[in-house]
Amino acid sequence: MLFGPPAMPCTQALQQMGVDVGRLIVVHGREGARGAALRHLLTSSDLLWALEQALRSGQVGVVVAWLPERLAAESLRRLQLAAQAHEGPAFMLRGIGERCRPSPAPLRLALHPGRRPDEVAVQVLKRRGPAGGPALHLALPPVLSAPARRRWSPTAPAPAPATAERLFSRAGVPVEADVMPPAG
């Protein structure tokens, strides 16, 4: 289930990554894809309410949500408690500028473009235990077309990684992910 993606999901790329798009539910807010032009979409507070209810329902699997900027600590805490009650993983994506703001999430990651077209650099910002080390560079399943692969060069600015973050954000914009592990 996707909440508030900032762009329309690319179903072809999601399918190539093994996502059954027939079972995918996308909840759009006014700040997301084409949101400003569509007044019938959910406000930020309604989107957060729907996200919290979905997490508490026990009826959804993986949840990926793009949170509004400057979210109140109380709202983050409510989402964290709902995510703890949720049986599956919950990923709360925030702008990289939010990494300096506090979060109740037990694991915080920063995602950056990798050194190759199908790679993502993951930096641990917060975790239980000792401080995180250097960024991990993870190879991803190839989703770029052959022409896009040829255009990419190590000397040019690296494209955004081909992850869920890449599929829904502007190219090259790093994000922070608050990872809320499932209950248990």
Side-chain angles (χ1 to χ4, degrees), residues 6 16 48-49 56 62-65 72 77 88 93-95 97 103 115 148 155 161 165 180:
Q16 287 178 353
L48 292 172
W49 179 85
R56 291 186 189 282
V62 176
V63 174
V64 180
R77 179 69 178 148
L93 304 177
R94 300 164 64 184
S103 169
R115 298 175 287 218
T155 57
E165 175 263 333
M180 312 284 190

Side-chain angles (χ1 to χ4, degrees), residues 108-110 121-127 129-137:
R108 296 178 79 182
L109 306 172
V122 180
Q123 180 182 9
V124 177
L125 300 175
K126 175 184 171 184
R127 69 175 184 169
L136 303 169
H137 291 268

Side-chain angles (χ1 to χ4, degrees), residues 91-105:
F91 300 91
M92 308 297 161
L93 304 177
R94 300 164 64 184
I96 197 68
E98 299 292 309
R99 71 178 167 195
C100 296
R101 296 178 54 88
S103 169

Side-chain angles (χ1 to χ4, degrees), residues 20-94:
D20 181 358
V21 294
R23 297 184 60 180
L24 182 65
I25 298 172
V26 181
V27 180
H28 292 284
R30 290 185 185 164
E31 282 99 36
R34 307 179 327 206
L38 303 173
R39 300 205 183 272
H40 66 279
L41 296 175
L42 298 176
T43 63
S44 290
S45 59
D46 289 339
L47 191 71
L48 292 172
W49 179 85
L51 171 59
E52 183 179 348
Q53 297 309 307
L55 288 168
R56 291 186 189 282
S57 74
Q59 301 300 310
V60 297
V62 176
V63 174
V64 180
W66 287 261
L67 300 180
E69 290 184 28
R70 304 267 179 210
L71 192 58
E74 176 185 319
S75 296
L76 279 172
R77 179 69 178 148
R78 289 176 59 102
L79 289 174
Q80 193 258 342
L81 291 172
Q84 280 184 327
H86 178 58
E87 293 291 323
F91 300 91
M92 308 297 161
L93 304 177
R94 300 164 64 184

